[in-house]
Amino acid sequence: QVQLVESGGGSVQAGGSLRLSCVTSGYTYSTYYMGWFRQTPGKEREGVATISTGGGYTWYADSVKGRFTISQDKVKNTLYLQMNSLKLEDTAMYFCAASTLRVISALHPAHFGYWGQGTQVTVSS
């Protein structure tokens, strides 16, 4: 089992920045990928960014490329999402997730088996 706890969400004005954190515990050695996803009411959960825990390869949704950065601190067992130049459309509940699969579609929620409880990000004008 892998446990994930997100933090860092909040309210920010458009153009501002936030950094989300996700502390992992449990059988973290079994995870091959970590990702950030987001969801708004009435919409499906969408992939934002993913990182391979071994090689540090990263994937991003087109909507956040150049603005968001995913990173990991293996010593602290923490995943981060640095979000800059935030837009109104970035408002959502953000979830941290872990995958124990060796091969995945990097931004597909179905390939991630462990999830945090989510942290709300609200961007206002």
Side-chain angles (χ1 to χ4, degrees):
Q1 293 291 324
V2 179
Q3 291 80 44
L4 308 166
V5 179
E6 304 99 332
S7 62
S11 297
V12 64
Q13 287 191 323
S17 299
L18 280 175
R19 188 176 80 157
L20 306 183
S21 300
C22 173
V23 177
T24 65
S25 60
Y27 294 116
T28 57
Y29 62 87
S30 65
T31 62
Y32 290 96
Y33 301 90
M34 297 288 297
W36 288 98
F37 295 78
R38 66 188 182 186
Q39 189 170 22
T40 54
K43 293 189 176 181
E44 293 186 354
R45 193 167 295 186
E46 64 171 350
V48 175
T50 295
I51 188 168
S52 63
T53 56
Y57 298 105
T58 57
W59 296 262
Y60 294 93
D62 288 342
S63 58
V64 306
K65 282 181 182 176
R67 301 188 298 120
F68 290 11
T69 303
I70 188 171
S71 62
Q72 59 182 346
D73 185 328
K74 292 183 179 181
V75 174
K76 295 182 179 180
N77 284 333
T78 303
L79 179 75
Y80 300 100
L81 184 68
Q82 178 66 44
M83 305 185 295
N84 298 328
S85 302
L86 282 162
K87 302 177 180 180
L88 297 179
E89 53 263 40
D90 294 319
T91 295
M93 183 71 78
Y94 283 72
F95 298 89
C96 170
S99 176
T100 58
L101 302 177
R102 290 178 181 269
V103 179
I104 65 169
S105 177
L107 297 174
H108 202 303
H111 293 177
F112 289 76
Y114 298 95
W115 294 84
Q117 82 289 350
T119 185
Q120 178 68 36
V121 171
T122 302
V123 183
S124 60
S125 58

